Amino acid sequence: RMQSRAEVVGKVRFLELLSPRSKQRFAREFPTFKRTGRVDGVPFDLLRKDGSTVAGLLSATAAFDDSGRFVRSRSILMRDS
């Protein structure tokens, strides 16, 4: 079973939801995201509470401060069925 929205939003960092292989992908992709400001449909394997994985797709838009520094992202994560 996946975590509920209430269990995740504001309580769990995105990296904590990723499989080890997807954490490596995130580390490779994140600098490009910060530079370009957007990703669409990037596949990641997400961990369920029982340790099994489910495929997901991430789309995100970066938010920058007045000096152009990355401050956060607005992200949508959808199950890839």
Side-chain angles (χ1 to χ4, degrees), residues 39-54:
V39 294
D40 288 304
V42 178
F44 286 104
D45 292 327
L46 305 166
L47 293 174
R48 291 185 169 125
K49 283 182 173 184
D50 66 5
S52 64
T53 60
V54 62

Side-chain angles (χ1 to χ4, degrees), residues 25 38-44 56-60 76 78 80:
R25 179 180 193 146
R38 185 161 180 82
V39 294
D40 288 304
V42 178
F44 286 104
L57 297 172
L58 175 71
S59 295
I76 297 172
M78 296 175 35
D80 185 18

Side-chain angles (χ1 to χ4, degrees), residues 15 20-35 42-44:
L15 286 175
R21 186 177 73 184
S22 287
K23 284 181 183 178
Q24 292 173 351
R25 179 180 193 146
F26 182 86
R28 286 190 315 268
E29 302 278 341
F30 192 63
T32 301
F33 167 67
K34 285 174 39 177
R35 190 179 69 251
V42 178
F44 286 104

Side-chain angles (χ1 to χ4, degrees), residues 2 11 14 16 21 26 30 36 41 52-53 55 57 64 66 75 77 79:
M2 293 295 294
K11 298 175 185 169
F14 179 65
E16 295 173 50
R21 186 177 73 184
F26 182 86
F30 192 63
T36 64
S52 64
T53 60
L57 297 172
F64 302 94
D66 291 338
S75 305
L77 185 60
R79 187 173 179 173

